[in-house]
Amino acid sequence: MAPAEESTKFEAYPMKSGDGPNSYAKNSTYQRGIVDIAKEILHKEIAERLDIEIFLSSNTFHIADLGCSVGPSTFFAVQNILEAVELKSQSQGLNSQISEFQVFFNDHTPNDFNMLFKSLPQNRRYYAAGVPGSFYGRLFPKASIHFFHASFCLHWLSRAPKEVSDKNSSAWNKGRIHYLNSREEVVEAYEAQHGEDMECFLHARAQEIVCGGLMLLIVPGLPHGASHSHTEAKGSHEVVGSCLMDMARKLVSEEKVDSFNVPIYYMSPQELEAAVERNGCFSIERMETLPHILPQGTASGAQLVTSHIRAAVERLIKQHFGDEILDELFDLCRKKFEEQPSMYESGMPVNFLAVLKRKAT
């Protein structure tokens, strides 16, 4: 399928643009913290798993960060990868083999690439390029990428399942905006959509990555054995949903809320393992759960969590409800988090890391 055809299949949910107080650039310390935690694992996996033949086949090492948003966490991730690859090259006595790095920053077309490019580190040691498009489709030529990085993006589906907004469907998700702790039919609709998306994701990456290349994924998900229908990982979606229902009594219609579903799915490690096995082109070299952290900053915990949620979903909510409700909605969310801090202290999804390696054809 041609890239132009693929681009029409997927919906776009970019993070809040710009560098204002509600922007993703100012409210992504949580993502940066997880990238920092993963640094040691990243270095170890590149040192032990990255095939030496890659260094002998090209003088330019190609890195792609999928779902990069606007920074700054993407720049820290890229720098970690670059340093690890250089150490691997030096340890093999191949200092002169890789002379240059090319980094591709990918996100949906509406992403604020202008902000991304303005924020590029001045002292970077790589050539930078933006690649617009959904990572559920093809983005690069065959066998052109040596290392893929995807952090905090694979929980976003290509779209919300259509049937959860259909009044005539058994999966109609009335009164809720997400599938967690919802009816089995709703969970199954989300599971099916996620299965299709992961099939597309792995199929595209298998064609784009070189044999022996690595892919590091950091995924917000559910722990081993957890049920999507009965889980403690309620957190932000339950709070936002309850606030929208509260507002349905005065600012928005209940019907409008019933037709809104967040296109986010928290897969489990078992689901990723099953998707990789079905694809057949990758081996899982490592998979582990990362430590739980909270957003860092000078504001209260409830305010920090609310700001991070707003940076991630404001444009999605604005697209469906308009911008008139945004300030009141997230003020309500902050108050609910203040009343029930356990909702963000222990009710958030876990983050797990997976390292995949492209098998030889």
Side-chain angles (χ1 to χ4, degrees):
M1 182 178 290
E5 294 174 18
E6 284 201 342
S7 64
T8 63
K9 289 174 56 181
F10 312 112
E11 296 178 4
Y13 314 106
M15 304 296 99
K16 174 69 173 174
S17 60
D19 59 356
N22 296 320
S23 67
Y24 184 83
K26 292 289 177 64
N27 295 282
S28 53
T29 60
Y30 177 79
Q31 291 86 340
R32 163 73 192 280
I34 295 295
V35 166
D36 287 345
I37 288 172
K39 180 178 180 178
E40 184 177 343
I41 300 173
L42 170 71
H43 275 250
K44 181 176 173 58
E45 292 303 303
I46 287 179
E48 297 180 359
R49 313 288 186 191
L50 193 63
D51 283 355
I52 192 172
E53 287 78 11
I54 287 178
F55 296 91
L56 303 175
S57 63
S58 174
N59 289 327
T60 303
F61 193 87
H62 295 147
I63 301 165
D65 187 39
L66 305 176
C68 64
S69 190
V70 297
S73 53
T74 184
F75 305 132
F76 292 108
V78 164
Q79 186 60 32
N80 292 343
I81 297 165
L82 190 147
E83 290 173 358
V85 171
E86 287 184 326
L87 287 173
K88 167 79 171 185
S89 177
Q90 292 165 11
S91 71
Q92 300 292 329
L94 300 172
N95 303 48
S96 61
Q97 289 301 125
I98 293 183
S99 58
E100 296 179 316
F101 288 87
Q102 170 77 67
V103 178
F104 299 100
F105 294 97
N106 156 257
D107 213 313
H108 283 289
T109 304
N111 182 56
D112 191 354
F113 282 102
N114 284 336
M115 179 67 193
L116 177 79
F117 295 143
K118 285 194 296 183
S119 305
L120 280 166
Q122 294 298 311
N123 60 344
R124 66 186 182 278
R125 292 179 290 114
Y126 53 84
Y127 294 97
V131 179
S134 171
F135 48 67
Y136 288 121
R138 282 288 301 276
L139 296 166
F140 304 100
K142 289 184 178 180
S144 61
I145 303 297
H146 300 107
F147 193 99
F148 275 110
H149 180 268
S151 175
F152 290 95
C153 60
L154 278 177
H155 60 305
W156 285 97
L157 298 172
S158 64
R159 60 177 177 83
K162 292 180 179 178
E163 53 267 46
V164 298
S165 299
D166 182 358
K167 293 181 180 179
N168 299 315
S169 169
S170 60
W172 184 32
N173 199 22
K174 179 175 173 54
R176 306 179 70 88
I177 67 167
H178 198 234
Y179 74 94
L180 285 181
N181 300 299
S182 190
R183 292 178 299 104
E184 195 62 38
E185 293 88 346
V186 177
V187 174
E188 289 173 356
Y190 269 85
E191 285 177 342
Q193 183 62 55
H194 170 259
E196 292 176 17
D197 288 346
M198 282 305 296
E199 181 180 353
C200 293
F201 177 83
L202 292 171
H203 178 70
R205 301 297 84 76
Q207 295 176 76
E208 296 165 347
I209 197 168
V210 301
C211 290
L214 296 180
M215 180 158 58
L216 185 142
L217 311 175
I218 297 177
V219 184
L222 296 184
H224 269 290
S227 166
H228 291 282
S229 301
H230 303 90
T231 177
E232 295 181 0
K234 303 173 184 178
S236 62
H237 306 302
E238 191 142 310
V239 173
V240 174
S242 67
C243 291
L244 281 169
M245 290 306 293
D246 290 346
M247 296 177 70
R249 301 183 180 98
K250 50 182 179 178
L251 289 180
V252 296
S253 68
E254 187 173 330
E255 184 178 5
K256 194 77 170 173
V257 178
D258 288 339
S259 64
F260 178 72
N261 287 275
V262 178
I264 283 178
Y265 182 85
Y266 296 114
M267 72 170 136
S268 66
Q270 300 102 305
E271 287 175 302
L272 178 58
E273 289 171 355
V276 171
E277 185 175 347
R278 286 193 300 270
N279 174 264
C281 296
F282 295 94
S283 59
I284 299 177
E285 302 295 320
R286 183 168 184 161
M287 188 180 293
E288 66 181 75
T289 301
L290 298 173
H292 176 70
I293 65 170
L294 291 172
Q296 300 298 305
T298 57
S300 68
Q303 181 60 60
L304 282 168
V305 170
T306 303
S307 296
H308 274 64
I309 294 168
R310 180 167 185 168
V313 302
E314 177 180 304
R315 292 178 72 173
L316 177 68
I317 292 173
K318 179 180 176 180
Q319 181 178 323
H320 190 83
F321 297 99
D323 57 7
E324 298 84 3
I325 73 165
L326 294 174
D327 289 339
E328 182 170 347
L329 170 64
F330 289 106
D331 192 48
L332 272 175
C333 288
R334 176 186 56 77
K335 290 175 181 175
K336 291 206 175 190
F337 279 130
E338 287 174 346
E339 294 167 1
Q340 293 182 283
S342 62
M343 293 291 277
Y344 66 85
E345 290 174 346
S346 60
M348 305 300 280
V350 301
N351 297 304
F352 66 91
L353 176 148
V355 177
L356 277 56
K357 185 172 183 175
R358 180 65 164 91
K359 296 177 181 179
T361 53

